[in-house]
Amino acid sequence: MTAELTWYLVLCLVSFVFCFLNKRTPLMLVAYGIAVYYMWVVRNSGFDSDMATYAGYLSYLPDFATATIYYTREFVYWFGSGYLYSWIQNDITTLWVIDIIWITLLFYAVGNKKQSAGVPLYVAPFMLTFFPVLMGYENVYRQLIACMFVLFAFFGTRNLFVAGFFGLLALFTHNGSIVYMPLLYLFATTKGMTIPKLSAFHKLVFSFLYLVMVGGVYYSSLADSQLAKSSSTTGLPLTYAYLAVFMAMFLIAFLIANFKFKKFVKDNVSLVYAIFTFMAFIPVLGGAQAERIGMMLLIVIVPIFAMNLDKSLQSQSEKLLMRMLFVLVGIAPTFLFSSALNFLLTAAKAAY
C-alpha cells in the first residue's frame, strides 16, 4: 500500500471519528495538519493525468502583452502559479504551497464557528476524501481551486465585498465557476438563503445573472488549449454518476421535508439550483464538460447540504448515523472505480 493511499485512509478515519464530535478549534487544527501533510505526500507521489501537465506549465510564465486569451481570461491561476514557481523553483513544492492555500480556505470556510456554525465538524476532513475533490487535486486542478474560492465566499465571510472579491478570484481561476454566480447573489440577498422570498428587483437581477452564467459556461467550454479540454474524458462515466448523487440528495431532502414541495424548495434552494442547472447543461455540453460542471456544483453544494441535513434531524443518534452514511457514500466511489483508486496507488518518490 502506498503512502498516498495510507494517508487517504487516515483522513477517512478522521472523518468518521469527527462525526461523533462537535466543533472545537484544536480538533480543526489537528485535521488541518493531517490534510496539509497528506497533500505533501500526494505531491511527492508523482503527477497523474493533468497534474503532470500543470507541473510542466509552472516554468512557463506568461506575459500579459503576449499571452493568449486562454491565459489572460484565467490569469489568477496561470500568472499566480507561474510567479510562485519563479520564487520557489520546484514544481512539487510550488503545487504543495498552492494546496496549502486552498486547504486553508476550505478549513476556515467550513470550520469557523461564526459564519458556518451549522456545518458539522466532520465536513472539513471529509472534503479531502470526497470523490469530486479527490478528482480535483489529482486531475482537474483549476476547477478545484476555483471551488474553494467560492466556498470561502459562501462561508468564510459575511462581508459582501469580500465575498464578491473571492467570487471574482474564482471566476478568473476557472471561468466555469461562473456557474455559482447567481447562487452567490441569491445567498447574499437572502442572508444565507434563510429568507427565500425575493423582491421583483432581486428576481430580475437573479434571472439576468442566470442568463449570463449560461452564456459564460458555454464560453468557458470552448477550449483553445489542451488543458481547457482536459476533458475529453477522465476515464470514468462521471456525468451520470454525479447526476445520481444529486438525485439521491434530492430524495433525501424531499423525504425530510415530508414530501411537501414548498418546504423542500424553501430549505434546499441551493440543491434545487444545482440539480436544475446540471440537468440543463448535460444535453448540450457533452460528457466531459458536463462532468466538470457537476464536480464544481457538488463541491460547494455538499457542505450546504450536510449542514441542512444535520439541522433537520432531532435526535443525536439519527445525526450520527446520517453523518457516517454521508461519509461512506462520499468516499465509496474512490474504491469502486479502479481509475480513481489508481490515483492513490502511484509509487512514491520519497520516504515520508
Side-chain angles (χ1 to χ4, degrees), residues 81 90 95 117-118 121 157 200 213-214 237 248 262 280 289 314 331 346:
S81 62
N90 181 277
L95 291 173
L121 176 66
T157 179
M213 180 273 290
V214 170
K262 285 187 177 180
Q289 294 296 341
Q314 299 302 318
I331 65 177
T346 309

Side-chain angles (χ1 to χ4, degrees), residues 6-124:
T6 300
W7 282 96
Y8 178 85
L9 292 174
V10 169
L11 273 173
C12 291
L13 178 61
V14 171
S15 301
F16 279 114
V17 171
F18 277 27
C19 289
F20 295 86
L21 306 174
N22 296 319
K23 281 188 177 178
R24 295 289 186 275
T25 300
L27 293 174
M28 292 300 298
L29 291 176
V30 169
Y32 174 80
I34 294 173
V36 168
Y37 183 73
Y38 166 68
M39 289 311 304
W40 174 251
V41 174
V42 169
R43 295 303 170 220
N44 278 276
S45 296
F47 299 124
D48 297 288
S49 195
D50 279 357
M51 287 310 302
T53 310
Y54 278 113
Y57 268 79
L58 287 174
S59 58
Y60 172 65
L61 183 58
D63 184 278
F64 266 110
T66 58
T68 65
I69 190 172
Y70 172 69
Y71 293 102
T72 56
R73 75 185 185 187
E74 295 171 335
F75 65 89
V76 170
Y77 176 80
W78 294 118
F79 286 80
S81 62
Y83 280 118
L84 191 60
Y85 178 81
S86 69
W87 298 334
I88 298 175
Q89 294 294 313
N90 181 277
D91 54 357
I92 292 174
T93 306
T94 300
L95 291 173
W96 183 59
V97 170
I98 297 173
D99 291 330
I100 291 176
I101 294 171
W102 67 256
I103 289 173
T104 302
L105 292 174
L106 167 65
F107 271 74
Y108 184 83
V110 303
N112 74 85
K113 290 185 285 188
K114 292 183 179 180
Q115 273 76 20
S116 61
V119 179
L121 176 66
Y122 76 91
V123 172

Side-chain angles (χ1 to χ4, degrees), residues 282-317:
I282 289 176
V284 291
L285 287 184
Q289 294 296 341
E291 281 181 19
R292 296 325 188 254
I293 296 299
M295 168 198 160
M296 296 180 80
L297 285 169
L298 268 176
I299 289 175
V300 172
I301 295 304
V302 158
I304 300 174
F305 181 76
M307 177 180 66
N308 292 338
L309 187 61
D310 223 54
K311 288 180 178 178
S312 67
L313 300 173
Q314 299 302 318
S315 87
Q316 189 64 17
S317 59

Side-chain angles (χ1 to χ4, degrees), residues 258-273:
N258 294 318
F259 302 102
K260 297 177 181 178
F261 186 72
K262 285 187 177 180
K263 178 175 173 54
F264 162 73
V265 173
K266 178 182 177 181
D267 296 339
N268 299 276
V269 175
S270 59
L271 179 59
V272 173
Y273 174 94

Side-chain angles (χ1 to χ4, degrees), residues 70-78 142-143 145-150 153 163-182 184 209 212-213 215-217 219-220 296:
Y70 172 69
Y71 293 102
T72 56
R73 75 185 185 187
E74 295 171 335
F75 65 89
V76 170
Y77 176 80
W78 294 118
R142 284 180 302 118
Q143 288 93 323
I145 297 169
C147 289
M148 296 309 167
F149 283 138
V150 174
F165 173 73
F166 276 90
L168 288 175
L169 285 180
L171 186 62
F172 293 114
T173 296
H174 191 280
N175 293 161
S177 59
I178 197 173
V179 72
Y180 296 118
M181 297 307 127
L184 190 56
L209 289 175
V212 171
M213 180 273 290
V217 169
Y219 171 73
S220 67
M296 296 180 80

